[in-house]
């Protein structure tokens, strides 16, 4: 199972919005509404930010939103804040009952 | 609150074995699927394996199939990963995660334990 494709890096200024894409195939992203997004700060464990494409777990800011179209999912962060600077990973359930992650995107808030 | 604490990592020689443990608390362990994920130094996340709440269902990534075995002891609220025939490329931080049944989504993660194969 090949990793999902994410941009290596994105950047934005405080207050702006950014979008991170996550491209897979019809066997993962396109075939199931089980796309998740994780935030990881350096030296820390990943934290679930979005699951089932667009659902925010309890306690996650509504500045984070998710969507999907075809084989590509997207994470949008609005009103960028300094503490949003982190690595972001997407993941998807697959047709062979496994989970596949994206390669990760480093978000810089400049 | 949900707490997951991994242990058992360390330095092992290529070809060696190691058994990781994950102690769970703050939730009814026997109700949840569990997953192991790893992250090589400076690299991304790699899903390894999951196990159903009753241990009846397991699955593995191709990279570890036949070498790693996931198991659990619901009476001890513990998850395990037996790792055999270790290779240098298995060097990583290993995380356990509580997992949503639907979509096998890892939701709550431990802090990880470092395995170094050298």
């Amino acid at each position: 199972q090949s990793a999902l494709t994410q941009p290596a890096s994105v950047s934005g200024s405080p207050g702006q919005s950014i979008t991170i894409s996550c491209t897979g195939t019809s066997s993962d992203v396109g075939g199931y509404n089980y796309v998740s997004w994780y935030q990881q700060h350096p030296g820390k464990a990943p934290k679930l930010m979005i699951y089932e494409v667009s659902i925010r777990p309890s306690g996650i800011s509504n500045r984070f939103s998710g969507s999907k179209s075809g084989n590509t999912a997207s994470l949008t962060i609005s009103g960028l804040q300094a503490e949003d600077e982190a690595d972001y990973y997407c993941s998807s359930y697959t047709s062979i009952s496994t989970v596949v992650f994206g390669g990760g995107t480093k978000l810089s808030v400049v | 609150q949900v707490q997951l604490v991994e242990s058992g990592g360390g330095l092992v020689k290529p070809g060696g074995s190691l058994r990781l443990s994950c102690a769970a608390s703050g939730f009814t362990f026997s109700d949840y699927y569990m997953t192991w994920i790893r992250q090589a130094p400076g690299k991304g996340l790699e899903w390894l394996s999951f196990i159903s709440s009753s241990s009846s269902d397991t699955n593995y990534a191709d990279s570890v199939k036949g070498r790693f075995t996931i198991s659990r002891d619901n009476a001890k609220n513990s998850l395990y990963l037996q790792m055999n025939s270790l290779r240098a490329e298995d060097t990583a931080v290993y995380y356990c995660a509580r997992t949503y049944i639907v979509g096998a989504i890892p939701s709550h993660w431990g802090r990880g334990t470092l395995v170094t194969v050298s």
Side-chain angles (χ1 to χ4, degrees):
Chain A
Q1 193 76 31
S2 299
L4 306 176
T5 300
Q6 298 181 233
S9 63
V10 298
S11 63
S13 300
Q16 287 186 332
S17 296
I18 63 95
T19 297
I20 300 172
S21 61
C22 170
T23 301
T25 69
S26 58
S27 296
D28 39 62
V29 174
Y32 304 92
N33 288 324
Y34 298 134
V35 175
S36 302
W37 290 91
Y38 299 88
Q39 176 191 67
Q40 186 180 35
H41 287 109
K44 301 292 188 180
K47 178 181 180 181
L48 180 66
M49 306 301 284
I50 296 284
Y51 67 99
E52 292 186 29
V53 177
S54 61
I55 300 174
R56 283 188 306 276
S58 175
I60 300 301
S61 170
N62 60 9
R63 297 187 299 105
F64 292 83
S65 62
S67 62
K68 190 186 85 167
S69 178
N71 295 338
T72 298
S74 299
L75 172 71
T76 298
I77 309 174
S78 60
L80 268 179
Q81 299 179 0
E83 62 256 34
D84 298 332
E85 185 162 293
D87 293 327
Y88 291 84
Y89 295 89
C90 62
S91 74
S92 176
Y93 186 72
T94 80
S95 60
I96 54 172
S97 300
T98 62
V99 172
V100 61
F101 284 96
T105 298
K106 182 176 181 61
L107 169 63
S108 298
V109 181
V110 297
Chain B
Q1 72 278 21
V2 175
Q3 191 164 12
L4 297 164
V5 180
E6 302 90 340
S7 62
L11 177 63
V12 61
K13 295 185 185 302
S17 297
L18 212 54
R19 188 196 196 204
L20 304 183
S21 299
C22 169
S25 60
F27 65 101
T28 305
F29 181 72
S30 58
D31 284 349
Y32 287 87
Y33 278 42
M34 296 293 295
T35 298
W36 285 102
I37 303 112
R38 71 183 177 187
Q39 186 171 33
K43 302 296 185 182
L45 301 172
E46 181 185 11
W47 180 91
L48 298 179
S49 178
F50 74 64
I51 186 167
S52 64
S53 52
S54 65
S55 303
S56 61
D57 187 22
T58 61
N59 206 355
Y60 298 90
D62 287 344
S63 58
V64 302
K65 196 174 296 184
R67 299 190 300 126
F68 290 11
T69 302
I70 192 171
S71 63
R72 64 191 295 162
D73 185 335
N74 287 343
K76 294 183 177 180
N77 290 339
S78 293
L79 174 73
Y80 306 102
L81 186 68
Q82 177 66 43
M83 304 187 296
N84 298 331
S85 303
L86 283 162
R87 308 164 180 166
E89 55 265 35
D90 294 319
T91 293
V93 173
Y94 285 72
Y95 297 100
C96 67
R98 193 180 84 169
T99 298
Y100 293 146
I101 294 172
V102 177
I105 298 167
S107 61
H108 294 79
W109 299 51
R111 293 188 172 188
T113 186
L114 176 63
V115 172
T116 302
V117 184
S118 176

